[in-house]
Protein backbone atom coordinates (compact mmCIF):
# COMPACT_ATOMS: atom_id res chain seq x y z
CA UNK A 1 0.00 0.00 0.00
CA UNK A 2 1.45 3.36 -1.03
CA UNK A 3 1.64 6.19 1.50
CA UNK A 4 -0.25 9.35 0.56
CA UNK A 5 3.04 11.07 -0.29
CA UNK A 6 3.75 8.38 -2.92
CA UNK A 7 0.35 8.62 -4.59
CA UNK A 8 0.28 9.57 -8.25
CA UNK A 9 -2.55 11.38 -10.03
CA UNK A 10 -2.65 11.77 -13.80
CA UNK A 11 -4.78 14.65 -15.07
CA UNK A 12 -5.79 15.51 -18.64
CA UNK A 13 -7.35 18.82 -19.66
CA UNK A 14 -7.95 19.95 -23.24
CA UNK A 15 -8.95 23.57 -22.76
CA UNK A 16 -8.88 26.44 -20.28
CA UNK A 17 -12.34 25.77 -18.80
CA UNK A 18 -11.26 22.19 -18.10
CA UNK A 19 -8.10 23.41 -16.41
CA UNK A 20 -10.15 25.68 -14.16
CA UNK A 21 -12.15 22.67 -12.98
CA UNK A 22 -8.99 20.56 -12.62
CA UNK A 23 -7.30 23.29 -10.59
CA UNK A 24 -10.25 23.43 -8.20
CA UNK A 25 -10.28 19.61 -7.79
CA UNK A 26 -6.49 19.32 -7.34
CA UNK A 27 -6.47 22.22 -4.87
CA UNK A 28 -9.17 20.50 -2.78
CA UNK A 29 -7.35 17.14 -2.89
CA UNK A 30 -4.10 18.78 -1.72
CA UNK A 31 -5.85 19.73 1.52
CA UNK A 32 -6.29 16.04 2.37
CA UNK A 33 -3.36 14.26 0.75
CA UNK A 34 0.07 14.72 -0.77
CA UNK A 35 0.54 13.31 -4.25
CA UNK A 36 2.62 13.79 -7.37
CA UNK A 37 0.80 15.26 -10.35
CA UNK A 38 1.36 14.11 -13.94
CA UNK A 39 -0.44 14.69 -17.22
CA UNK A 40 -1.52 17.43 -19.59
CA UNK A 41 -2.37 20.91 -18.41
CA UNK A 42 -1.45 24.58 -18.42
CA UNK A 43 0.03 27.22 -16.16
CA UNK A 44 -2.56 26.86 -13.39
CA UNK A 45 -1.73 23.18 -12.88
CA UNK A 46 2.02 23.90 -13.09
CA UNK A 47 1.62 25.60 -9.72
CA UNK A 48 0.86 22.14 -8.32
CA UNK A 49 4.02 20.64 -9.81
CA UNK A 50 2.64 19.43 -13.15
CA UNK A 51 5.15 19.13 -15.97
CA UNK A 52 2.79 18.87 -18.91
CA UNK A 53 3.47 16.09 -21.41
CA UNK A 54 2.62 18.64 -24.11
CA UNK A 55 0.74 21.95 -24.27
CA UNK A 56 -2.99 21.34 -23.90
CA UNK A 57 -3.58 23.96 -26.60
CA UNK A 58 -2.55 21.25 -29.09
CA UNK A 59 -5.92 19.62 -28.35
CA UNK A 60 -7.98 22.76 -28.97
CA UNK A 61 -9.31 21.96 -32.43
CA UNK A 62 -12.70 23.04 -33.72
CA UNK A 63 -14.63 21.99 -36.81
CA UNK A 64 -14.20 19.25 -39.40
CA UNK A 65 -12.06 21.36 -41.74
CA UNK A 66 -9.56 22.01 -38.98
CA UNK A 67 -9.60 18.45 -37.59
CA UNK A 68 -9.02 16.38 -40.77
CA UNK A 69 -5.45 17.56 -41.56
CA UNK A 70 -4.50 17.15 -37.89
CA UNK A 71 -5.75 13.56 -37.47
CA UNK A 72 -2.24 12.01 -37.68
CA UNK A 73 -0.99 14.40 -34.98
CA UNK A 74 -4.01 13.74 -32.75
CA UNK A 75 -3.50 9.97 -33.05
CA UNK A 76 0.17 10.48 -32.19
CA UNK A 77 -0.76 12.51 -29.09
CA UNK A 78 -3.30 9.87 -28.01
CA UNK A 79 -0.69 7.10 -28.25
CA UNK A 80 1.95 9.26 -26.56
CA UNK A 81 -0.41 9.95 -23.67
CA UNK A 82 -1.39 6.28 -23.31
CA UNK A 83 2.28 5.21 -23.17
CA UNK A 84 3.01 7.88 -20.58
CA UNK A 85 0.09 6.83 -18.38
CA UNK A 86 1.08 3.17 -18.49
CA UNK A 87 4.66 4.11 -17.63
CA UNK A 88 3.58 6.30 -14.68
CA UNK A 89 0.99 3.72 -13.47
CA UNK A 90 -1.03 6.32 -11.54
CA UNK A 91 -3.38 5.64 -8.64
CA UNK A 92 -6.05 7.74 -10.36
CA UNK A 93 -6.58 9.21 -13.83
CA UNK A 94 -8.69 12.38 -13.89
CA UNK A 95 -9.93 13.57 -17.28
CA UNK A 96 -11.90 16.78 -17.72
CA UNK A 97 -14.26 17.35 -20.65
CA UNK A 98 -12.61 16.97 -24.15
CA UNK A 99 -14.32 13.56 -24.59
CA UNK A 100 -13.05 12.94 -28.13
CA UNK A 101 -9.48 12.86 -26.85
CA UNK A 102 -9.96 11.73 -23.25
CA UNK A 103 -12.23 8.77 -23.99
CA UNK A 104 -9.91 7.43 -26.67
CA UNK A 105 -7.03 7.60 -24.19
CA UNK A 106 -9.02 5.93 -21.40
CA UNK A 107 -10.28 3.18 -23.69
CA UNK A 108 -6.74 2.28 -24.76
CA UNK A 109 -5.36 2.49 -21.22
CA UNK A 110 -8.10 0.28 -19.78
CA UNK A 111 -7.60 -2.30 -22.53
CA UNK A 112 -4.01 -2.74 -21.32
CA UNK A 113 -4.50 -2.23 -17.58
CA UNK A 114 -8.18 -2.57 -16.49
CA UNK A 115 -7.24 -2.05 -12.81
CA UNK A 116 -6.36 1.63 -13.29
CA UNK A 117 -8.97 3.86 -11.62
CA UNK A 118 -10.57 6.59 -13.74
CA UNK A 119 -12.62 9.69 -13.02
CA UNK A 120 -14.13 11.82 -15.77
CA UNK A 121 -15.50 15.28 -15.05
CA UNK A 122 -18.17 16.90 -17.29
CA UNK A 123 -20.47 14.29 -18.79
CA UNK A 124 -20.95 13.92 -22.54
CA UNK A 125 -24.40 15.15 -23.58
CA UNK A 126 -25.89 11.68 -24.00
CA UNK A 127 -29.44 12.92 -23.31
CA UNK A 128 -29.30 14.97 -26.51
CA UNK A 129 -26.93 12.91 -28.63
CA UNK A 130 -26.12 9.17 -28.74
CA UNK A 131 -27.80 7.82 -25.59
CA UNK A 132 -25.94 4.52 -26.16
CA UNK A 133 -22.73 6.38 -25.40
CA UNK A 134 -23.43 6.09 -21.66
CA UNK A 135 -23.12 2.31 -21.86
CA UNK A 136 -19.99 2.51 -24.02
CA UNK A 137 -18.08 4.75 -21.64
CA UNK A 138 -18.93 2.47 -18.70
CA UNK A 139 -16.15 0.14 -19.91
CA UNK A 140 -13.45 2.72 -19.21
CA UNK A 141 -14.98 5.37 -16.92
CA UNK A 142 -15.29 4.17 -13.29
CA UNK A 143 -16.42 7.46 -11.75
CA UNK A 144 -18.17 10.44 -13.27
CA UNK A 145 -18.68 13.94 -11.88
CA UNK A 146 -21.60 15.70 -13.59
CA UNK A 147 -22.39 19.42 -13.64
CA UNK A 148 -26.19 19.13 -13.67
CA UNK A 149 -28.34 16.99 -11.32
CA UNK A 150 -30.54 15.48 -14.09
CA UNK A 151 -27.49 13.90 -15.77
CA UNK A 152 -27.03 11.22 -13.12
CA UNK A 153 -29.98 9.12 -14.32
CA UNK A 154 -28.33 8.53 -17.70
CA UNK A 155 -25.16 6.96 -16.28
CA UNK A 156 -25.98 5.22 -12.98
CA UNK A 157 -27.97 2.39 -14.69
CA UNK A 158 -24.76 1.47 -16.56
CA UNK A 159 -22.74 0.99 -13.36
CA UNK A 160 -20.84 4.28 -13.50
CA UNK A 161 -20.45 5.81 -10.03
CA UNK A 162 -21.92 9.24 -10.77
CA UNK A 163 -21.88 12.30 -8.52
CA UNK A 164 -23.40 15.72 -9.08
CA UNK A 165 -20.86 18.45 -8.22
CA UNK A 166 -22.52 21.56 -9.67
CA UNK A 167 -21.42 23.88 -12.43
CA UNK A 168 -18.52 26.22 -11.55
CA UNK A 169 -19.95 28.90 -13.86
CA UNK A 170 -23.28 28.82 -12.02
CA UNK A 171 -21.51 29.06 -8.65
CA UNK A 172 -19.74 32.18 -9.86
CA UNK A 173 -22.98 33.62 -11.25
CA UNK A 174 -24.82 32.94 -7.96
CA UNK A 175 -22.12 34.83 -6.08
CA UNK A 176 -22.24 37.74 -8.53
CA UNK A 177 -26.06 37.87 -8.48
CA UNK A 178 -26.10 38.00 -4.67
CA UNK A 179 -23.46 40.75 -4.71
CA UNK A 180 -25.36 42.70 -7.39
CA UNK A 181 -28.68 42.45 -5.54
CA UNK A 182 -27.00 43.68 -2.37
CA UNK A 183 -25.31 46.61 -4.13
CA UNK A 184 -28.46 47.65 -6.02
CA UNK A 185 -30.78 46.82 -3.11
CA UNK A 186 -32.96 44.59 -5.36
CA UNK A 187 -35.54 42.44 -3.61
CA UNK A 188 -37.02 40.75 -6.68
CA UNK A 189 -35.49 38.04 -8.85
CA UNK A 190 -32.92 38.88 -11.48
CA UNK A 191 -33.33 37.37 -14.96
CA UNK A 192 -30.11 36.86 -16.91
CA UNK A 193 -29.70 36.16 -20.61
CA UNK A 194 -26.63 34.30 -21.87
CA UNK A 195 -26.57 34.25 -25.69
CA UNK A 196 -24.54 31.53 -27.43
Amino acid sequence: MQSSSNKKIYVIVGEESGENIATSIVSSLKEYSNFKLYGIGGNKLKKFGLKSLFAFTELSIMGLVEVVPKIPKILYLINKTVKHILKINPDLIITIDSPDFCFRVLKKVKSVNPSLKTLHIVAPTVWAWKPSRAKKISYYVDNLFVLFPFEKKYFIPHGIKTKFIGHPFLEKINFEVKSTKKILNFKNKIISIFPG
Side-chain angles (χ1 to χ4, degrees), residues 14 16 20 47 56 71 73 79 91 122 134-135 138 144 155:
E16 191 174 345
N20 290 337
K47 293 176 184 175
F56 76 81
I71 287 175
K73 184 177 183 181
N79 289 327
D91 296 280
V122 184
K135 183 176 181 180
S138 69
L144 182 65
F155 300 97

Side-chain angles (χ1 to χ4, degrees), residues 17-153:
S17 62
E19 185 173 46
N20 290 337
I21 294 171
T23 301
S24 178
I25 296 285
V26 170
S27 178
S28 296
L29 288 173
K30 282 287 186 184
E31 293 179 16
Y32 300 98
S33 175
N34 289 318
F35 53 85
K36 181 120 178 167
L37 196 62
Y38 299 87
I40 301 157
N43 290 328
K44 291 176 183 176
L45 288 172
K46 280 181 184 175
K47 293 176 184 175
F48 295 97
L50 176 71
K51 292 179 182 175
S52 189
L53 184 62
F54 54 83
F56 76 81
T57 52
E58 294 191 49
L59 301 177
S60 301
I61 302 167
M62 299 289 286
L64 187 63
V65 175
E66 193 178 339
V67 169
V68 171
K70 295 185 178 178
I71 287 175
K73 184 177 183 181
I74 295 167
L75 293 174
Y76 167 76
L77 293 176
I78 289 170
N79 289 327
K80 182 176 183 176
T81 306
V82 169
K83 286 177 186 175
H84 194 230
I85 291 172
L86 294 173
K87 180 183 175 184
I88 298 298
N89 191 31
D91 296 280
L92 177 64
I93 304 166
I94 301 175
T95 55
I96 298 95
D97 211 355
S98 304
D100 291 334
F101 181 83
C102 290
F103 289 167
R104 282 174 173 80
V105 168
L106 293 181
K107 188 176 181 180
K108 283 176 171 278
V109 164
K110 280 282 202 177
S111 70
V112 177
N113 187 349
S115 67
L116 286 172
K117 300 295 177 197
T118 63
L119 162 64
H120 186 74
I121 303 169
V122 184
T125 53
V126 296
W127 63 91
W129 181 248
K130 297 183 182 175
S132 61
R133 199 174 190 188
K135 183 176 181 180
K136 287 180 182 176
I137 71 169
S138 69
Y139 297 111
Y140 43 86
V141 173
D142 302 314
N143 301 276
L144 182 65
F145 284 178
V146 297
L147 305 187
F148 303 102
F150 70 87
E151 294 177 302
K152 289 175 65 175
K153 66 183 179 185

Side-chain angles (χ1 to χ4, degrees), residues 21 121 145-149 163-171:
I21 294 171
I121 303 169
F145 284 178
V146 297
L147 305 187
F148 303 102
K163 183 172 178 59
F164 163 65
I165 60 167
H167 198 296
F169 178 73
L170 293 179
E171 288 173 14

